[in-house]
């Protein structure tokens, strides 16, 4: 791609804003700030041992998970970049128990930002892909006159006005949607800009590839066991085709693969912690990824219904996740429907 034909993220966003004015200026600026912060996180990730960013801090986040140094550093990068710009009414993160209000010394904006600063934290120290996931919601109109509360964030995913993720892998890329298609950008490190490299990403159908943590198999509900068992039987089983399996331990990396070559991703409920609906978090993992997947022609379900229609009851709420190419998600959901009402433990 010659440098004269390149479309940078800034140009792309300005053109989106011009086209029918369907990208409000404040949202455009917010996305620019988030993308810049992701660039800074990418540089930090790349330094690895040299930057002293590997290893754990010894503290736990609200999920009871040990915080990695990079979780906290990346959280602070996003916080510092976003709190002064005047685009946000408040923000929230996987790494902070409560929402973060914009300090009085800065102007308050119209949007709410929710993010997972480092998705796939267990991959940091072993030099595998990690990423940042983010979701943007409009703040309720009266937020300009009062203190923003957690309740203001608890909007179903179909109300997201933008969603995206950055992935820090062999290439550093950014995937974005504003509800009108999915666009991919690659970081040109020499120039320091995000360059548009994929337009209107659509998930290819028919790929026989599933992503699930197989070590949890014995804990799954029977419906999930049944679906994966049938995939595992390959061409000799009821599915009549051989399946491949991938599990990176980093949702963004698995989703990048699903967007590129299709397939399905599952993190279902399991019996280790029966009171929890799943491992992944609704507001800053499943919702933004669900919006991207749907915009790319795929489907995102919690096994019963559309993830984007779930009305959240808490910022750090968890959810069961089945998403990917529409045809394979539909097949999986048919297994869950067959088992429903059988008195089995929560399916999926
Ligand atoms: P994290 O945000 O704390 O890193 O957790 C989310 C990650 C996902 O990226 C990934 O799909 C999943 O947790 C992996 O979980 P497991 O280690 O149980 O396979
Ligand atoms: Mg995380």
């Amino acid at each position: 791609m010659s440098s004269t034909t390149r479309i940078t993220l800034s140009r792309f966003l300005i053109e989106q804003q011009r086209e029918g004015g369907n990208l409000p200026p404040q949202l455009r600026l917010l996305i620019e700030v988030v993308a810049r912060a992701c660039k800074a996180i990418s540089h930090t990730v790349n330094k690895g041992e040299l930057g002293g960013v590997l290893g754990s801090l010894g503290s736990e986040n609200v999920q009871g998970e040990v915080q990695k140094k990079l979780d906290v550093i990346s959280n602070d990068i996003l916080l510092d970049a976003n709190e002064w710009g005047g685009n946000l009414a408040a923000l929230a993160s996987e790494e902070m128990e409560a929402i973060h209000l914009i300090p009085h010394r800065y102007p308050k904006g119209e949007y709410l930002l929710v993010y997972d600063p480092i998705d796939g934290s267990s991959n940091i120290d072993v030099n595998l892909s990690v990423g940042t996931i983010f979701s943007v919601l409009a703040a309720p109109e009266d937020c300009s006159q009062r203190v923003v509360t957690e309740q203001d964030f608890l909007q179903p995913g179909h109300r997201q006005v933008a969603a995206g993720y950055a992935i820090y892998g062999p290439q550093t890329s950014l995937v974005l949607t504003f509800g009108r298609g999915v666009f991919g950008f690659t970081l040109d490190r020499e120039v320091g800009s995000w360059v548009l490299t994929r337009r209107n990403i659509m998930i290819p159908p028919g790929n026989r590839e599933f992503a699930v943590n197989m070590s949890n198999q014995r804990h799954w509900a029977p419906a999930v066991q049944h679906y994966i068992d049938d995939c595992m039987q390959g061409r000799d089983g009821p599915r009549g085709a051989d399946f491949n399996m991938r599990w990176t331990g980093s949702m963004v990396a698995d989703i990048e693969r699903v967007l590129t070559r299709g397939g399905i991703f599952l993190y279902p409920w399991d019996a280790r912690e029966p009171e929890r609906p799943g491992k992944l978090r609704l507001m800053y993992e499943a919702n933004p990824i669900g919006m991207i997947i749907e915009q790319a022609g795929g489907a995102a379900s919690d096994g019963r219904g559309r993830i984007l229609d779930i009305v959240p009851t808490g910022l750090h709420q968890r959810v069961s996740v089945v998403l990917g190419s529409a045809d394979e998600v539909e097949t999986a959901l048919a297994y869950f429907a067959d088992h429903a009402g059988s008195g089995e433990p929560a399916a999926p």
Side-chain angles (χ1 to χ4, degrees):
M1 186 186 293
S2 96
S3 55
T4 50
T5 57
R6 289 175 158 210
I7 296 178
T8 61
L9 175 67
S10 300
R11 178 172 165 181
F12 169 82
L13 293 173
I14 286 170
E15 287 177 355
Q16 289 278 309
Q17 189 184 320
R18 280 190 199 139
E19 277 170 26
N22 49 19
L23 179 62
Q26 201 173 92
L27 181 56
R28 169 174 72 78
L29 289 168
L30 169 57
I31 298 298
E32 293 233 35
V33 174
V34 172
R36 209 157 41 232
C38 290
K39 227 188 297 183
I41 295 173
S42 156
H43 289 304
T44 311
V45 169
N46 283 166
K47 283 185 190 147
E49 195 79 79
L50 300 177
V53 299
L54 304 187
S56 300
L57 274 177
S59 52
E60 285 188 353
N61 65 13
V62 61
Q63 333 277 335
E65 297 160 342
V66 173
Q67 286 181 305
K68 301 277 187 183
K69 285 184 195 164
L70 207 55
D71 286 325
V72 174
I73 294 168
S74 306
N75 187 61
D76 291 348
I77 289 174
L78 279 156
L79 196 65
D80 293 347
N82 278 289
E83 70 172 4
W84 54 269
N87 306 313
L88 290 178
L91 47 85
S93 158
E94 175 181 349
E95 302 303 334
M96 300 187 294
E97 181 162 7
I99 65 166
H100 179 88
L101 298 175
I102 299 302
H104 289 306
R105 60 186 182 280
Y106 301 129
K108 215 156 125 187
E110 296 168 20
Y111 295 100
L112 302 171
L113 175 69
V114 199
Y115 55 80
D116 176 359
I118 290 288
D119 176 61
S121 301
S122 68
N123 279 341
I124 296 169
D125 295 349
V126 294
N127 201 8
L128 290 173
S129 297
V130 292
T132 298
I133 310 176
F134 59 92
S135 157
V136 184
L137 295 157
E141 269 181 23
D142 62 343
C143 279
S144 57
Q145 315 298 326
R146 61 169 174 83
V147 176
V148 179
T149 66
E150 178 174 327
Q151 189 60 39
D152 297 318
F153 282 78
L154 304 182
Q155 306 179 35
H158 64 246
R159 302 252 295 265
Q160 292 171 107
V161 294
Y165 68 82
I167 176 163
Y168 317 116
Q171 305 127 42
T172 295
S173 48
L174 179 72
V175 169
L176 275 182
T177 184
F178 302 104
R180 292 176 300 280
V182 181
F183 298 86
F185 301 81
T186 304
L187 182 62
D188 181 336
R189 288 189 181 279
E190 285 152 33
V191 184
S193 41
W194 296 104
V195 179
L196 180 64
T197 42
R198 288 192 288 172
R199 276 182 189 275
N200 289 315
I201 300 171
M202 293 302 284
I203 301 172
N207 183 25
R208 307 296 196 187
E209 197 164 40
F210 63 84
V212 70
N213 186 336
M214 288 295 291
S215 70
N216 298 332
Q217 185 174 22
R218 68 190 185 284
H219 306 296
W220 296 334
V224 183
Q225 307 238 16
H226 187 182
Y227 167 66
I228 295 292
D229 274 352
D230 283 0
C231 294
M232 296 285 282
Q233 286 180 50
R235 70 177 63 175
D236 303 326
R239 300 296 308 276
D242 289 334
F243 277 73
N244 189 25
M245 194 209 85
R246 285 285 186 276
W247 185 251
T248 66
S250 191
M251 190 191 201
V252 282
D254 284 318
I255 296 308
E256 185 86 350
R257 190 188 55 257
V258 168
L259 287 177
T260 308
R261 64 184 195 211
I264 189 168
F265 171 99
L266 304 96
Y267 209 120
W269 170 92
D270 73 49
R272 286 171 302 171
E273 293 178 286
E275 71 292 346
R276 274 186 176 175
K279 174 182 179 183
L280 298 177
R281 279 56 56 114
L282 175 64
M283 295 209 61
Y284 40 81
E285 292 176 330
N287 271 346
I289 297 296
M291 181 177 183
I292 290 167
I293 291 286
E294 284 197 2
Q295 284 293 313
S301 169
D302 68 349
R304 296 188 179 83
R306 188 182 178 219
I307 284 178
L308 299 189
D309 285 340
I310 298 172
V311 180
T313 52
L315 202 53
H316 301 286
Q317 169 176 350
R318 294 175 189 259
V319 66
S320 183
V321 169
V322 182
L323 49 77
S325 79
D327 53 350
E328 193 55 38
V329 171
E330 193 185 321
T331 302
L333 295 181
Y335 280 78
F336 306 155
D338 281 351
H339 282 253
S342 58
E344 294 167 353

